[in-house]
Amino acid sequence: MKTTVKLPFLLCVIPLWSLVGIYVLKFSSKSQSDCYCEKCLSENEPWFKTRYNKSIPVFLTADYQLPEKDFKWWNVLRGKGGNYSTYIELVEEVFKVIPHRPSVMNERPGCCKTCAVVGNSINLKGSRYGPLINLHDVVMRINYAPTKGWEADVGSKTTHRIMYPESSTHLDNKTRLVMFPFKLEDLLWLPKTLTTGYFVRYKPKLRANKTLAMVVNPAFMKYVHETWLEKKGYYPSTGFLTLMMAVHICDEIHVFGFGADKFGDWKHYWDIGRYHLKKTGGHHGVFEYEIIQKLTQHRIIQFFPGW
């Protein structure tokens, strides 16, 4: 791992977390020259270097034009029809409501922040990771995962909520909405739910701060599926996409709550009952977990597996 030159403490207050690693959140992909952490991710690690492509923007911006070949891959993820011109029109409507570029670009430059990616695995139940998760500056949660009643295991802090329309949940005014679009209807939904709220199939209006909303680039989703998952499964899970998003915008990532339980069942930590779910739908959960383990072995992330 790369050793960085430490700056004087007057530049920013380095918390206790510097002992276990900290990161800088950037807009598109991390830059080693901007890393002011105790430990920075090395892009020269061979296994990682063959897969990592920082040229692909993580988030959509108003001036970005999605290649048509990437659109064709994305457009059939959920079996929905549509054409490229419709996509362009919907993206234009999205950026009439949300910022043209995510505002995370210039957050506290020169200081380190800790990053927690919190999955929804039942392995979080009884983990008592809550206080540890809360110590991070940035906490990414996936879909509508609850915290109330589960604070001891999953924490109570949320700074980034990853969602799509069917998994949407109301946010406070300080939490960032990060949407993973899986179909054209998702792009239709976002500006409507943040303004008039009119959209027949989903909640009438989502409580969220539209100035903190951002949309993940379909080209990035395609890259994750083809490069990191080797085209296994129909498309990546929201959890794995979130983890890979963190790999691209963080210098060090702490990951919680991924994987099946000891019986091979894929459950959420809030699930009640004794049902058994051995498959993960259109996602290749087993292979995704293998990649998480490899990222851990190569010291790209630090993984807290739970109990």
Side-chain angles (χ1 to χ4, degrees):
M1 306 297 283
K2 178 180 175 181
T3 302
T4 57
V5 178
K6 299 178 182 177
L7 297 181
F9 286 107
L10 291 178
L11 289 180
C12 60
V13 178
I14 304 297
L16 179 61
W17 271 97
S18 63
L19 299 176
V20 295
I22 32 192
Y23 88 105
V24 176
L25 182 64
K26 292 297 177 187
F27 159 67
S28 180
S29 61
K30 56 187 171 297
S31 170
Q32 295 237 333
S33 62
D34 292 329
C35 179
Y36 298 95
C37 305
E38 289 288 317
K39 183 169 64 173
C40 297
L41 184 150
S42 174
E43 297 174 10
N44 295 319
E45 199 286 325
W47 177 85
F48 181 72
K49 187 177 181 179
T50 60
R51 293 161 176 79
Y52 178 68
N53 184 353
K54 66 180 180 181
S55 68
I56 300 175
V58 177
F59 303 110
L60 276 181
T61 59
D63 59 357
Y64 176 82
Q65 185 170 354
L66 181 71
E68 287 198 49
K69 63 180 179 62
D70 294 341
F71 169 78
K72 290 178 180 178
W73 174 87
W74 174 82
N75 190 45
V76 297
L77 289 186
R78 293 290 180 91
K80 302 290 184 180
N83 56 57
Y84 188 64
S85 61
T86 300
Y87 166 83
I88 297 298
E89 292 172 2
L90 290 176
V91 169
E92 289 176 354
E93 292 301 314
V94 166
F95 286 108
K96 289 179 181 178
V97 175
I98 72 172
H100 287 192
R101 296 171 68 87
S103 58
V104 297
M105 293 175 64
N106 300 312
E107 287 190 343
R108 290 176 59 191
C111 292
C112 285
K113 299 178 186 178
T114 56
C115 176
V117 178
V118 186
N120 299 333
S121 170
I122 194 171
N123 296 328
L124 280 173
K125 192 173 182 179
S127 68
R128 295 299 186 262
Y129 286 151
L132 184 62
I133 291 170
N134 284 344
L135 285 175
H136 291 78
D137 293 305
V138 170
V139 179
M140 301 179 184
R141 297 191 189 273
I142 300 157
N143 299 329
Y144 42 70
T147 58
K148 188 174 182 179
W150 299 95
E151 292 89 347
D153 295 332
V154 306
S156 57
K157 183 177 182 178
T158 305
T159 63
H160 293 62
R161 177 70 72 167
I162 286 75
M163 64 176 73
Y164 52 92
E166 292 88 339
S167 69
S168 62
T169 185
H170 295 306
L171 307 178
D172 62 35
N173 201 46
K174 296 181 179 180
T175 301
R176 297 186 179 279
L177 189 165
V178 184
M179 192 183 82
F180 281 74
F182 289 100
K183 54 189 180 299
L184 286 170
E185 284 185 347
D186 295 353
L187 298 173
L188 174 63
W189 169 81
L190 184 62
K192 289 183 179 295
T193 196
L194 293 175
T195 53
T196 63
Y198 175 76
F199 196 76
V200 175
R201 293 183 57 193
Y202 305 119
K203 301 173 183 177
K205 188 173 183 179
L206 186 69
R207 292 195 302 273
N209 187 339
K210 62 184 180 182
T211 67
L212 299 180
M214 45 192 165
V215 180
V216 170
N217 190 339
F220 180 78
M221 299 166 71
K222 178 175 180 284
Y223 149 73
V224 171
H225 181 248
E226 294 182 348
T227 302
W228 286 96
L229 295 182
E230 301 173 10
K231 300 183 180 180
K232 291 180 171 60
Y234 293 111
Y235 51 89
S237 67
T238 312
F240 190 79
L241 284 168
T242 302
L243 172 56
M244 295 313 303
M245 179 180 73
V247 167
H248 274 255
I249 64 176
C250 304
D251 287 305
E252 183 155 332
I253 307 101
H254 304 139
V255 179
F256 305 82
F258 281 76
D261 66 14
K262 62 182 179 180
F263 302 109
D265 293 330
W266 297 84
K267 299 180 181 179
H268 301 134
Y269 61 82
W270 64 87
D271 287 334
I272 299 175
R274 306 181 67 176
Y275 72 90
H276 300 278
L277 183 62
K278 298 295 184 181
K279 297 183 178 182
T280 53
H283 318 305
H284 201 304
V286 173
F287 190 73
E288 290 186 354
Y289 191 74
E290 290 176 2
I291 297 299
I292 291 172
Q293 291 177 314
K294 288 182 179 179
L295 287 167
T296 304
Q297 293 166 5
H298 290 281
R299 307 175 80 177
I300 306 301
I301 66 172
Q302 185 175 358
F303 181 42
F304 296 82
W307 305 97

